Amino acid sequence: MPSHSIDPVIAIATAPGRGAVGIVRLSGARLHGFAHHLLGKALQPRMATYLPFPDAQQQAIDHGLALYFPAPHSYTGEDVLELQAHGGPVVLQLLLARCLQAASESNPATGQAWLPGLRLAEPGEFTQRAFLNDKMDLAQAEAVADLIDASTESAARSASLSLSGAFSAEIHTLLEQLIHLRMLVEATLDFPEEDVDFLEAANAQGQIHTLQTQLQTVLQRARQGALLREGIHIVIAGQPNAGKSSLLNALAGAELAIVTPIAGTTRDKVQQTIQIEGIPLHIIDTAGLRHSDDVVEQIGVERAWQEIAKADAILFLHDLSRQHDSSYQQADADIAARLYQQADARPPVIHVWNKLDLIAAPAISTEDPAQEPALLCISAQTHQGLDALRQQLLTIAGWQAMPEGVFAARTRHLQALHEVAQHLQNADDHLQSPLPALDLLAEELRLGQIALGQITGEFTPDDLLGVIFSKFCIGK
């Protein structure tokens, strides 16, 4: 956090726009006297007081509730003052301006400003102060933002689980066992003539294997939580008039994309987030893939390929009504060849045959160079086969329901857990070698401890903290 973090801060803590209630929040030191000066009345800690909020001329800006939370028993661990008024933007801006004005006014008793240095809070600064004051660890702080940003009920529940400390508790359990094992190994470095026998007696290898098993359980729950938080991006691709826009509309349950019999109607991407069993899937409809002399359509096709390159999965949509058209089959084959020429880590391709409602008995014959799973036949018009497609999308996403719940996890959490797994594997390899190098074994355990500590913030660099909290909303 920057050096001015000791300054008192203020922000409107409710979302922009009109609402029944709006909150102006302050955090800093010695707010009790400032609150008395601002409001003309002493506030009792943790008790809501209904009173007018006066301006500089002692005319009421509004009437509402004032709450004072003395340090350290507050959200940030500092003194916190909240003014709860009616949620009009003008009212809240007037309150904000009045607080800034009152902060600079002179205290007759000291001759100094009532609240010197009061400034507008930066994004996430209230929660960042809570983290720095040990009110929560970094994983819990991130869960605050995840709970606010949750797009599904399942995502909200997983964020709430992490905010309660469940994810952090699992990490701390792993840390304690890893530290114990590390101390055991480093203690043997003082007695090199007995090191191997000592580690065997302490079952060091068994402890590593137990750690690896527990780590995989945490990693699996975290991976599912990251899926709930971020979802996956799925691109619908195919030739013009294959029914891509109709499929998007069918999956979304709304007429989002224009559908006409005219080839090339979709010229730019149309995106919608849908939920399947609580998993957010970001579905992107793209322009039909074909050669065109139309400059605008060419741009749309190029953008389609750009989206395909970034996708987590691709729905390659085919037209059953044209399955016997040799030119259509050749064009599909050309598209498939380009799909499989993408980067080595290309996304999975789901082949879907649409317009099942237009034919009596589909007789699909296609050669798939990647030997993908069985093809799906659907009708975007009648919704036949859509349930099977939804389940296939969940399978591609890697979703597995966890009876004990999942944690709201981020990419950095998964990277850290994978790093720990690698260090544990290296440690196990060193321990199993004919002549164990205990110094290397101890170093791998130390690096694993650091990687685990990055999740909860024990070893997190300041620049990473800046990136994390800058993505929070103002006032939180």
Side-chain angles (χ1 to χ4, degrees):
M1 178 173 279
S3 59
H4 61 218
S5 62
I6 59 174
D7 295 340
V9 293
I10 183 173
I12 297 174
T14 40
R18 293 177 174 82
V21 177
I23 299 174
V24 174
R25 175 181 293 153
L26 297 90
S27 182
R30 299 180 298 277
L31 293 187
H32 188 264
F34 170 74
H36 193 172
H37 167 66
L38 175 71
L39 303 172
K41 183 177 182 178
L43 300 178
Q44 294 297 316
R46 293 175 295 281
M47 290 185 62
T49 303
Y50 179 76
L51 74 179
F53 300 142
D55 62 13
Q57 289 73 42
Q58 299 305 304
Q59 299 296 315
I61 297 172
D62 194 5
H63 289 70
L65 297 178
L67 295 99
Y68 167 64
F69 303 91
H73 305 295
S74 69
Y75 179 75
T76 64
E78 304 170 333
D79 284 358
V80 170
L81 174 64
E82 287 192 356
L83 305 178
Q84 300 184 5
H86 293 94
V90 174
V91 172
L92 296 178
Q93 287 296 334
L94 287 173
L95 279 178
L96 183 70
R98 174 54 190 153
C99 289
L100 291 168
Q101 179 187 34
S104 63
E105 293 172 351
S106 178
N107 181 348
T110 64
Q112 304 294 322
W114 276 101
L115 201 58
L118 179 65
R119 60 175 175 81
L120 296 176
E122 298 173 355
E125 189 165 358
F126 290 97
T127 304
Q128 187 173 13
R129 291 183 178 214
F131 163 67
L132 294 175
N133 291 324
D134 294 326
K135 303 298 291 185
M136 61 178 67
D137 63 32
L138 190 56
Q140 289 175 291
E142 290 171 303
V144 173
D146 294 339
L147 186 58
I148 294 172
D149 294 336
S151 59
T152 69
E153 178 183 350
S154 299
R157 291 186 181 277
S158 69
S160 181
L161 186 63
S162 290
L163 180 57
S164 71
F167 184 29
S168 301
E170 296 280 358
I171 298 302
H172 283 300
T173 298
L174 291 172
L175 265 174
E176 289 173 1
Q177 296 180 29
L178 184 54
I179 292 172
H180 178 268
L181 179 59
R182 180 185 169 193
M183 291 173 60
L184 178 68
V185 172
E186 292 188 352
T188 64
L189 293 175
D190 296 329
F191 306 96
E193 68 280 358
E194 301 177 3
D195 51 10
V196 176
D197 292 339
F198 184 71
L199 290 178
E200 287 181 354
N203 191 24
Q205 192 170 45
Q207 292 187 45
I208 290 179
H209 291 169
T210 298
L211 267 170
Q212 289 175 316
T213 300
Q214 294 176 343
L215 178 65
Q216 286 303 313
T217 300
V218 174
L219 180 58
Q220 186 179 18
R221 295 178 68 184
R223 188 182 293 115
Q224 299 302 300
L227 182 60
L228 280 176
R229 177 181 179 270
E230 300 172 2
I232 63 170
H233 287 77
I234 299 173
V235 171
I236 305 176
Q239 295 187 57
N241 271 0
K244 298 184 297 299
S245 297
S246 296
L247 178 56
L248 172 66
N249 293 342
L251 289 172
E255 297 297 319
L256 301 175
I258 299 173
V259 177
T260 75
I262 303 173
T265 297
T266 301
R267 298 195 171 198
D268 202 355
K269 67 177 183 180
V270 179
Q271 180 170 333
Q272 178 68 16
T273 298
I274 66 172
Q275 297 181 33
I276 301 179
E277 295 186 16
I279 307 302
L281 301 180
H282 312 291
I283 310 292
I284 303 170
D285 177 27
T286 57
L289 303 176
R290 69 172 179 179
H291 173 74
S292 174
D293 295 326
D294 186 314
V295 176
V296 177
E297 188 175 357
Q298 289 176 4
I299 295 174
V301 171
E302 181 59 32
R303 289 183 178 179
W305 283 111
Q306 292 172 0
E307 291 297 327
I308 288 171
K310 298 184 295 183
D312 296 316
I314 300 166
L315 288 183
F316 188 0
L317 200 62
H318 308 272
D319 187 345
L320 276 171
S321 66
R322 291 182 281 174
Q323 61 179 311
H324 300 301
D325 184 332
S326 58
S327 61
Y328 180 82
Q329 291 181 357
Q330 183 58 53
D332 260 6
D334 293 341
I335 293 173
R338 183 169 175 179
L339 286 176
Y340 297 129
Q341 288 172 358
Q342 299 285 343
D344 293 338
R346 66 174 180 80
V349 179
I350 305 175
H351 289 269
V352 181
W353 288 83
N354 187 31
K355 304 186 182 180
L356 187 60
D357 53 303
L358 297 183
I359 62 172
I364 303 170
S365 176
T366 183
E367 295 183 0
D368 182 359
Q371 296 182 345
E372 298 287 347
L375 310 181
L376 294 171
C377 293
I378 68 165
S379 169
Q381 292 295 325
T382 66
H383 297 185
Q384 184 178 355
L386 285 191
D387 287 342
L389 175 58
R390 292 186 180 99
Q391 291 304 311
Q392 183 66 31
L393 291 176
L394 286 180
T395 301
I396 290 294
W399 172 248
Q400 296 176 345
M402 309 290 292
E404 65 273 31
V406 300
F407 307 125
R410 300 186 171 203
T411 301
R412 77 170 194 90
H413 300 154
L414 299 182
Q415 291 173 342
L417 290 171
H418 283 297
E419 187 177 341
V420 176
Q422 185 60 58
H423 287 307
L424 287 178
Q425 184 58 55
N426 294 343
D428 190 31
D429 293 341
H430 286 308
L431 191 57
Q432 294 190 58
S433 64
L435 295 174
L438 294 190
D439 53 345
L440 296 179
L441 172 60
E443 178 64 10
E444 291 294 344
L445 296 178
R446 185 186 72 84
L447 294 174
Q449 179 186 348
I450 291 175
L452 268 181
Q454 288 178 346
I455 295 176
T456 54
E458 295 180 36
F459 299 104
T460 304
D462 289 342
D463 55 350
L464 178 59
L465 293 180
V467 171
I468 289 173
F469 287 105
S470 67
K471 300 183 183 301
F472 278 54
C473 57
I474 298 290
K476 197 62 182 178

